Amino acid sequence: MAEPHAKTLSDMPAPVLDVVMKEVDLKTVQSVRKVCSNLRNHADSIQLDAKILKAYVYIQSSEKISLELKTADSLFEISYYKDGNDVLVDHDGQKRVENQDIANCAGQDLGSILKNQKSIVRAISLILPQIYAGEVVTDFLTKMSDALESRKSKLMLKYFSWTGHINEDQILSILEKLDPGTINKIDLTNSSGVQMTCNINRIVNTDQWKKAKVVETLGFIAETPMSNFYKFRNAHFRIENVNVDEILTVRQSALKNANFKEFHFSYENFIDESQFLDRFGKQHKIFKRKNKCWFYKFPMNDNALVVTWKENRIRFLRVEPKNFEKFLVPEDKLVVL
């Protein structure tokens, strides 16, 4: 009498697989996805909240992509290597995914997780040096964007970080899929090493940008009006042109904002610089300070607004009384506007 065929996970009917898959953790699901195409497709179809807190993506080259996924209890590090027409996935041992493109494989894996994520994600960081990775970046983002687009509601995320080429289409393909109501911080960094001017007008007009509280745009000159940065409690950026009226508006906005912390920018052209000192007010002469300084009192508390100007950089900073000595704030000479 022949021995009965041993049942494997792939032999289980779909309803049973649903029950099993919803009870296992993210690590197990990702391992199951590498067994065969049937299990991969089934794992992608179930509604599993992976409860990811942070996700980091690093496209190191056209032949290697790294994912780092953090939950409350675990850290999962997954590396993808191009191997001919296949992909080698390194995660608790190495598995081969046959006839699969590396960008599609990694993008589909992350997309399948984010597609069903119900809880809020603290941070997603994308490090995508397109100058080295070429089409891999585009293909990866397409898979990730498609997964986010298929969600019933926008992904809840607090912190969105982009490091790579400042391409509005690529950035918007992800940014616009995020819930504007949960976004707290947006970071955009040009990683090419070449200072360039980038038009970000479509980005600053999104609800996600308008509802964020903190923003940084580094490594490039933002080609957009200064007014698109006024409302942030914390901003750090480089802009092409600035004028005295805009700087006066920043001062006014900061003093009226109870949550204001810091507004730090550099500029390429100061259009009416010759009028600045006359219109902004007399600077304070502070020993040990080489830059020009102004000190104002916040109307709602005893904090000081410290304004410094050095070369082509201007910084507005809130300072609490306990730090007055550290920042050389003359407590008895704070200007009230």
Side-chain angles (χ1 to χ4, degrees):
M1 183 176 175
E3 290 291 330
H5 172 64
K7 292 290 186 181
T8 65
L9 192 62
S10 59
D11 295 320
M12 292 182 179
V16 177
L17 273 177
D18 285 345
V19 174
V20 173
M21 297 294 282
K22 288 184 179 181
E23 293 299 321
V24 300
D25 60 13
L26 174 63
K27 177 180 178 181
T28 304
V29 172
Q30 290 305 101
S31 295
V32 168
R33 294 180 76 252
K34 302 301 181 291
V35 174
C36 66
S37 59
N38 287 339
L39 285 177
R40 182 183 184 89
N41 292 334
H42 193 89
D44 291 346
S45 68
I46 65 173
Q47 301 296 308
L48 174 70
D49 183 1
K51 297 182 180 179
I52 293 295
L53 295 179
K54 297 179 180 180
Y56 300 92
V57 177
Y58 182 24
I59 297 184
Q60 295 174 256
S61 71
S62 60
E63 298 188 351
K64 182 180 180 182
I65 298 175
S66 298
L67 300 184
E68 188 175 291
L69 308 173
K70 188 179 186 305
T71 66
D73 303 315
S74 303
L75 176 66
F76 304 95
E77 296 177 319
I78 310 170
S79 295
Y80 301 79
Y81 301 91
K82 179 179 173 60
D83 186 29
N85 293 325
D86 302 339
V87 178
L88 297 179
V89 183
D90 194 351
H91 173 59
D92 283 351
Q94 202 169 77
K95 298 180 178 66
R96 179 179 295 273
V97 181
E98 296 182 349
N99 298 316
Q100 180 69 278
D101 175 81
I102 185 173
N104 290 332
C105 185
Q108 187 173 331
D109 280 359
L110 181 59
S112 68
I113 293 168
L114 298 180
K115 175 181 177 179
N116 298 318
Q117 175 89 10
K118 298 180 180 67
S119 51
I120 192 167
V121 183
R122 293 179 186 172
I124 290 180
S125 180
L126 303 174
I127 305 173
L128 313 170
Q130 187 172 2
I131 188 171
Y132 305 115
E135 293 181 0
V136 174
V137 169
T138 300
D139 293 343
F140 177 89
L141 290 173
T142 298
K143 282 293 184 182
M144 183 177 173
S145 178
D146 287 347
L148 293 176
E149 180 68 32
S150 68
R151 288 175 53 90
K152 294 180 179 179
S153 60
K154 291 183 182 293
L155 180 69
M156 294 187 294
L157 175 69
K158 289 186 176 180
Y159 173 36
F160 175 73
S161 174
W162 173 283
T163 301
H165 180 56
I166 305 302
N167 180 308
E168 278 201 302
D169 288 334
Q170 290 182 339
I171 294 170
L172 290 172
S173 73
I174 306 300
L175 184 62
E176 289 186 321
K177 309 297 191 309
L178 307 177
D179 186 345
T182 61
I183 286 283
N184 180 66
K185 183 178 181 181
I186 297 173
D187 279 0
L188 305 177
T189 301
N190 168 40
S191 63
S192 70
V194 178
Q195 188 77 265
M196 60 183 67
T197 300
C198 300
N199 188 321
I200 59 170
N201 279 325
R202 288 164 57 206
I203 293 174
V204 301
N205 281 312
T206 61
D207 289 338
Q208 289 78 7
W209 179 278
K210 292 176 181 178
K211 293 191 176 183
K213 299 176 178 64
V214 180
V215 69
E216 282 192 296
T217 64
L218 305 176
F220 68 97
I221 303 162
E223 186 180 351
T224 193
M226 171 82 88
S227 57
N228 288 314
F229 295 91
Y230 287 161
K231 63 95 179 180
F232 292 106
R233 73 182 186 199
N234 196 317
H236 187 188
F237 58 98
R238 188 176 187 90
I239 203 163
E240 190 166 19
N241 299 312
V242 68
N243 60 55
V244 178
D245 284 334
E246 291 173 329
I247 299 173
L248 290 171
T249 300
V250 173
R251 182 177 67 181
Q252 181 183 27
S253 299
L255 289 171
K256 289 182 177 181
N257 185 351
N259 297 314
F260 177 84
K261 291 186 177 180
E262 182 178 6
F263 196 94
H264 187 187
F265 69 93
S266 58
Y267 55 85
E268 295 297 298
N269 305 301
F270 197 154
I271 296 172
D272 48 1
E273 181 178 346
S274 61
Q275 302 176 30
F276 181 52
L277 294 178
D278 288 337
R279 296 185 59 192
F280 199 75
K282 185 178 179 181
Q283 63 173 306
H284 285 80
K285 299 293 185 181
I286 303 297
F287 178 63
K288 294 183 180 179
R289 279 189 178 272
K290 296 181 179 180
N291 45 5
K292 296 179 174 63
C293 302
W294 294 261
F295 301 91
Y296 303 93
K297 183 182 181 304
F298 276 89
M300 72 288 289
N301 52 45
D302 293 328
N303 293 177
L305 176 65
V306 179
V307 184
T308 56
W309 179 31
K310 184 178 180 180
E311 297 176 350
N312 67 331
R313 298 179 180 274
I314 298 179
R315 183 190 190 195
F316 292 74
L317 178 68
R318 174 192 289 271
V319 178
E320 297 179 351
K322 64 181 180 181
N323 293 319
F324 278 5
E325 184 176 352
K326 175 182 176 181
F327 288 92
L328 303 176
V329 176
E331 186 173 4
D332 58 337
K333 296 181 179 179
L334 295 182
V335 175
V336 178
L337 294 180

